[in-house]
Amino acid sequence: KEVIAFAKAHPNKSLGVAAFSVTQRDAIRDLVDEYRRKNPDTEPFFSDTKNEHFFIKNLESIQGDERDVIFISVGYGRSEDGRLTQTFGPLGAEGGERRLNVLISRAKERCTVFSSITSEDVKSAPGKLGVNAFKEFLQFAEKGYFDVPIDTEKEFDSDFEESVAMFLKKNGYKVQPQVGMAGFFIDIGVIDPANENRFYCGIECDGATYHSSRSARDRDRLRQEILESRGWKIYRIWSTDWFHRRQVQEVKLLDYLASLQNSSPVKTPSLEVTEPSGDIFEPVTIIAESKDIVVPYKESNEKVFSRNKAPHEISVYERSKLVKKIVEVEAPIHQDEVARRVAKAFGLEKAGARIVAATVEGLKFTNGLANEGGFWSIAGELNKVVRNRSSVVNKNLEKAEYIPPAEITIALEHLIKSSLQIEDAELVQQVSRLFGFQRCGPDLKIVIQKVLDREVGKLFQRNGSFILLNK
């Protein structure tokens, strides 16, 4: 389907499809032929006389063939009983990494990867460079960075770390010491009980000498921010707490790990600023009960039963009635998203420039609507909730650019009211979680930080790197 869509949308660009086996290649070729017969208008795109004609090849056959865009069909997946064979064909053989390198360097503009598995489904294989490179490539395609947690095979750095690890093992957890990630080492990586190919928590163990160094604390806060942006959950244990208040710390650690297994994106558990207790620092607890302020995102599903005309061909009055229904359900909502709902109401998959322009015209014509930076809402109605986007159908709603600043402000104010004090970086992370995101990507971080910087002085104040609510 995407091959045909590409042929229609980009008739002057070149395309190649790469499969990881001959069987996959033949299956794709048969289906493309079938869709070509149903779409004869695309035949010029597939002409063999073109300078860079369309191709479908298996991994071993791709050599010097460059195209503007390459579609990569991974093809490997789970069997009916849920098992995934970890052989990966030619990638698992000697030289597999070279084959993969040739494949992913054939595109002049971009690669699009089609896969039913992610990097977390692929088990690191010592000595199998092709499989390991494949795991990193899948992660880059999905998340935009290459860092994959690596078992360094190093031993524990201290008796303290080993003591924590032994306790976890006794309680049924599998752990690895000194896991390499993002250019750092994580003291203890806890393996996900539901998927042994991934770590779901990193534990940092800090001794007494750490507390005397402000640069060490600043460095580790930066490191923690980087690791959390990579999807890690970081839990810090202080040696003074572990050895002097062992039983309390054991319970807290087990409770935290259990919460990771049971939590959903809507819920934000009570968090702790990671500073040691006892004689050095007093603990600061952040309480963030979010059940009253976070609601699931509700999407409109309007239908137009008369589809003889396109959206831009109906009267402004009719358009106005349609867009108002959409805004009433989804306010505040960006006008691009309103245009997508309008297109969908007419049975169309995309909102082109004419539909967007017609939608904006309808919005401006409608009485009782308010516009703030392209986000439309009902005039006079104040937004008081944060909408969780973890289950939305329209995935554009997960993009940072389509999250209303007014909604981010509500999230910021709620979290700060729930805290005695909270660090800037931690606040940004927690806002993203209220919206249902497990990871706060760079685009989302910029959008949230921009709203935070704007609101400081109105609602909030900074005390160093900490944010507090104005009294």
Side-chain angles (χ1 to χ4, degrees), residues 159-171:
D159 293 341
F160 171 29
E161 291 177 20
E162 191 166 7
S163 174
V164 174
M166 292 302 294
F167 168 73
L168 289 172
K169 288 178 181 178
K170 281 199 300 185
N171 283 274

Side-chain angles (χ1 to χ4, degrees), residues 283-345:
V284 179
T285 302
I286 302 166
I287 306 298
E289 277 297 331
S290 306
K291 59 184 178 182
D292 294 329
I293 196 161
V294 177
V295 297
Y297 193 105
K298 184 179 179 182
E299 298 170 78
S300 64
N301 193 25
E302 295 296 324
K303 294 286 190 296
V304 175
F305 295 102
S306 175
R307 294 180 179 174
N308 297 326
K309 295 182 178 180
H312 59 277
E313 295 172 335
I314 65 174
S315 69
V316 178
Y317 174 73
E318 290 297 319
R319 256 179 278 150
S320 172
K321 289 197 299 183
L322 176 57
V323 298
K324 187 170 185 180
K325 289 180 181 178
I326 295 168
V327 173
E328 285 174 342
V329 174
E330 294 193 57
I333 178 173
H334 195 275
Q335 59 198 31
D336 290 352
E337 280 300 295
V338 180
R340 291 188 183 96
R341 304 298 181 277
V342 170
K344 185 179 177 183

Side-chain angles (χ1 to χ4, degrees), residues 127-142:
K128 292 193 174 181
L129 300 180
V131 173
N132 294 335
F134 176 55
K135 180 179 176 73
E136 290 198 10
F137 175 66
L138 282 180
Q139 175 157 310
F140 182 79
E142 180 188 3

Side-chain angles (χ1 to χ4, degrees), residues 234-291:
I234 301 297
Y235 187 90
R236 193 178 299 280
I237 304 174
W238 308 93
S239 59
T240 50
D241 288 343
W242 186 254
F243 291 116
H244 296 296
R245 288 167 287 276
R246 176 72 171 264
Q247 191 172 4
V248 173
Q249 294 303 313
E250 288 177 346
V251 171
K252 289 175 66 177
L253 175 56
L254 293 179
D255 284 349
Y256 179 78
L257 293 176
S259 75
L260 293 185
Q261 291 176 259
N262 300 327
S263 62
S264 66
V266 173
K267 298 177 182 177
T268 302
S270 297
L271 304 167
E272 289 195 351
V273 174
T274 52
E275 295 288 10
S277 57
D279 299 330
I280 303 167
F281 292 92
E282 285 298 317
V284 179
T285 302
I286 302 166
I287 306 298
E289 277 297 331
S290 306
K291 59 184 178 182

Side-chain angles (χ1 to χ4, degrees), residues 15-212:
L15 174 67
V17 177
F20 280 17
S21 75
V22 173
T23 306
Q24 294 171 35
R25 179 203 66 192
D26 293 346
I28 296 169
R29 183 177 290 165
D30 290 345
L31 284 168
V32 168
D33 289 345
E34 178 185 329
Y35 275 84
R36 284 171 62 179
R37 289 192 293 272
K38 295 177 181 177
N39 297 271
D41 56 312
T42 63
E43 279 308 298
F45 178 84
F46 297 101
S47 172
D48 289 343
T49 61
K50 291 176 67 175
N51 184 35
E52 291 186 342
H53 61 82
F54 172 76
F55 71 73
I56 305 172
K57 293 186 176 183
N58 58 301
L59 183 63
E60 295 93 333
S61 300
I62 293 179
Q63 296 298 329
D65 305 294
E66 286 192 340
R67 297 294 184 267
D68 292 325
V69 176
I70 296 290
F71 285 175
I72 298 176
S73 173
V74 170
Y76 304 124
R78 296 186 178 278
S79 59
E80 289 183 0
D81 61 2
R83 288 186 300 126
L84 176 66
T85 303
Q86 297 282 333
T87 51
F88 303 112
L91 294 175
E94 186 176 353
E97 74 283 2
R98 292 193 294 273
R99 292 188 179 94
L100 183 64
N101 182 60
V102 169
L103 167 62
I104 64 179
S105 59
R106 297 303 90 198
K108 300 175 188 175
E109 295 179 6
R110 66 178 169 91
C111 292
T112 299
V113 181
F114 297 80
S115 177
S116 65
I117 60 174
T118 68
S119 63
E120 292 180 347
D121 296 310
V122 180
K123 190 172 184 178
S124 296
K128 292 193 174 181
L129 300 180
V131 173
N132 294 335
F134 176 55
K135 180 179 176 73
E136 290 198 10
F137 175 66
L138 282 180
Q139 175 157 310
F140 182 79
E142 180 188 3
K143 299 179 180 178
Y145 55 84
F146 276 113
D147 296 317
V148 172
I150 298 171
D151 178 7
T152 62
E153 299 184 346
K154 292 185 177 182
E155 296 299 322
F156 296 103
D157 263 2
S158 67
D159 293 341
F160 171 29
E161 291 177 20
E162 191 166 7
S163 174
V164 174
M166 292 302 294
F167 168 73
L168 289 172
K169 288 178 181 178
K170 281 199 300 185
N171 283 274
Y173 288 98
K174 292 184 178 180
V175 300
Q176 286 185 4
Q178 296 298 303
V179 176
M181 174 68 185
F184 305 114
F185 292 115
I186 299 167
D187 293 335
I188 300 173
V190 183
I191 295 171
D192 188 347
N195 181 357
E196 294 196 356
N197 295 329
R198 67 181 288 266
F199 297 95
Y200 84 131
C201 181
I203 297 177
E204 295 290 89
C205 301
D206 297 303
T209 55
Y210 171 93
H211 310 319
S212 62

